[in-house]
Structures are given as structure tokens and as C-alpha cells.
């Protein structure tokens, strides 16, 4: 496959989908394969960015998003469509400059440090989402499911526990996020928990390195508003905050029911 044309061809399909469904409600999920490695940019974008091929790829994705937005405008759908742009994880640091950068945030993809999980989230809906606003409210990608159902007037499923919250108040500038805690898992283990600006690490490990799991006893505590790089453990200074986060972790774990891993079932051929 000629992967230099991948971003363009997938965008062509997305635009065609919008045009074909312009007269009815639709949901379009468009996960770009890049900037996950391997990286390829089309001749139009190759060599354009001072950041090398990684920058070329990101600029082409930016152009792709622009085409999708223009398609919505051309079909008269901009005022009736929420567009949300985000990523699934932080940079893959083992790939060097081809893996991206988390800037001042600690570690990268695979870890539960902020560099592994904190990603940009950009919402666009002319006339509904205020333009040029930066929000510090806490949210997660698992909230998009709940938010989409709420906006569509669809009731949440009642046969399972739903972790997501409706972000409409944040998106429309009408109030705070209903979410004030966020849990950080690696495989089936709870590694960290955030409440407000405070984050406690119960165990940690680098993204994909050979280092073993570090168990923090007592847990390490960071204030992400003052220390987004998670460099200064202040647990000894704020034992009451740490105790509160430990109680939150216990409450959360009490709601978790272990189930069979679908991934392991597939790998095992069951």
C-alpha cells in the first residue's frame, strides 16, 4: 500500500460519507492511522514542517480536518454538527523524534503519568460551542459516548455501569464539568487517581521500558495545577488530601466487577 496517500484517501472517504448522509443524522468516527509510526506524508506536505516527517504528518492531518469542516459547511451542516478532535494517548517515546513529544509533561504512551494520557481536546460547533475558549475542566474520552447520547436525546443504557459524564455544560460554556475524578489503569490494575488538581500514584512504570513496576507506599501525590510535570511529590505535606484520594480509590474499586478479557479470548482462539 502507498501510505503516502493514506491520509488523503481516508479523508476522501469521510467527505463522501458526509455528502451521502447530509439529509439525515449521522455519526462519523475518523481515527487517523498517523501520527502513529510508521510515518508517511504526501508529496504535497513532505518537507514542509521544520519538525521533520512527524511535523509533515501533523500538518497533513490538520489539512484533513480542514477539509472535513469545509464539507460540513458546504452541505449546510455546520450549525447542526459537533466536531470533536482528540487523541488516544501521548507520544511513543521509544520512537524518538518520530514518536512525538509531551512537552513539559512526564513520560509518554503506555504510562499513567500525564505525558502518557493527557491529550488535547478540541470542540467545534458554530453557534453552540464558544470560539477561542480554553477550558481547564476535567474530562476524558469516555465522556464522549455519554455526551453524544445526551445531545441526540437518546437515553443511556440501563443494563450496565456507565463511567462517562455529559460534557454539555463545559462545551456550551454553561457550567463546570460533572467529572471531578479520573482513574488511571494499566491493564487491569489501578495505577493512579486524580481528583480536581490532585493526583495520587499508587504504582507507576515508564511507558514501554524494561523497568519494573514501582509500588508507592505511601502513594505519591502531585498538584497538577502547580506541577503538571509531576516532579514534586508533596504527599508528606498534604496527608489529608492523600487520605481522601485513597478513599476515592477504594470507592471506585468497590464498583469494579472482573470480567473475562475479550482480547485474551481472541488471542487464545476461543
Amino acid at each position: 500500500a502507498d501510505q503516502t496517500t493514506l491520509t488523503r484517501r481516508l479523508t476522501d472517504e469521510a467527505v463522501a460519507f458526509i455528502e451521502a448522509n447530509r439529509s439525515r443524522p449521522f455519526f462519523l468516527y475518523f481515527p487517523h492511522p498517523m501520527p502513529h509510526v510508521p510515518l508517511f506524508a504526501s508529496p504535497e506536505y513532505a518537507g514542509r514542517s521544520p519538525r521533520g516527517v512527524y511535523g509533515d504528518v501533523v500538518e497533513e492531518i490538520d489539512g484533513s480536518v480542514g477539509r472535513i469542516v469545509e464539507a460540513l459547511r458546504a452541505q449546510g451542516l455546520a450549525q447542526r454538527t459537533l466536531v470533536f478532535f482528540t487523541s488516544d494517548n501521548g507520544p511513543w517515546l521509544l520512537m524518538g523524534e518520530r514518536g512525538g513529544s509531551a512537552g513539559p509533561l512526564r513520560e509518554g504512551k503506555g504510562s499513567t503519568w500525564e505525558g502518557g494520557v493527557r491529550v488535547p481536546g478540541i470542540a467545534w460547533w458554530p453557534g453552540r460551542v464558544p470560539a477561542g475558549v480554553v477550558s481547564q475542566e476535567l474530562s476524558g474520552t469516555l465522556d464522549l459516548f455519554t455526551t453524544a447520547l445526551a445531545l441526540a436525546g437518546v437515553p443511556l443504557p440501563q443494563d450496565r455501569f456507565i463511567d462517562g459524564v455529559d460534557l454539555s455544560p463545559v462545551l456550551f460554556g454553561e457550567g463546570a464539568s460533572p467529572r471531578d475524578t479520573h482513574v488511571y489503569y494499566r491493564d487491569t490494575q489501578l495505577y493512579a487517581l486524580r481528583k480536581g488538581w490532585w493526583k495520587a500514584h499508587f504504582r507507576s512504570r515508564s511507558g514501554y521500558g524494561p523497568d519494573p513496576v514501582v509500588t508507592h507506599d505511601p502513594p505519591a501525590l502531585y498538584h497538577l495545577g502547580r506541577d503538571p510535570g509531576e516532579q514534586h511529590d508533596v504527599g508528606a505535606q498534604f496527608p489529608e488530601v492523600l487520605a481522601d484520594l485513597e478513599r476515592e480509590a477504594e470507592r471506585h474499586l468497590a464498583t469494579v466487577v472482573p470480567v473475562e478479557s475479550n482480547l485474551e479470548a481472541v488471542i487464545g482462539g476461543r
Side-chain angles (χ1 to χ4, degrees), residues 110-126:
S111 79
T112 51
W113 299 100
E114 289 298 283
V117 293
R118 189 190 293 197
V119 294
I122 304 171
W124 180 86
W125 188 352

Side-chain angles (χ1 to χ4, degrees), residues 190-205:
L190 178 66
Y191 267 53
L193 182 142
R194 175 178 172 177
K195 184 176 183 180
W197 285 112
W198 293 103
K199 181 178 178 184
H201 286 265
F202 309 110
R203 50 182 63 85
S204 63
R205 187 183 176 193

Side-chain angles (χ1 to χ4, degrees), residues 64-86:
S64 165
V65 174
R67 285 187 58 199
I68 290 171
V69 167
E70 286 306 312
L72 292 170
R73 287 191 172 118
Q75 300 300 326
L77 301 174
Q79 308 295 325
R80 295 190 289 135
T81 307
L82 170 65
V83 177
F84 200 94
F85 181 89
T86 189

Side-chain angles (χ1 to χ4, degrees), residues 91-172:
W92 196 358
L93 298 179
L94 291 180
M95 295 294 107
E97 65 177 16
R98 286 176 170 254
S101 169
L105 302 181
R106 184 169 175 176
E107 256 295 328
K109 172 184 177 180
S111 79
T112 51
W113 299 100
E114 289 298 283
V117 293
R118 189 190 293 197
V119 294
I122 304 171
W124 180 86
W125 188 352
R128 295 296 304 276
V129 175
V133 175
V134 177
S135 173
Q136 299 293 337
E137 294 293 322
L138 182 59
S139 63
T141 52
L142 74 169
D143 299 324
L144 295 179
F145 171 75
T146 310
T147 304
L149 264 60
L151 293 175
V154 178
L156 287 172
Q158 299 299 308
D159 61 342
R160 70 204 68 188
F161 192 91
I162 302 296
D163 291 296
V165 301
D166 179 11
L167 296 177
S168 298
V170 179
L171 293 176
F172 303 144

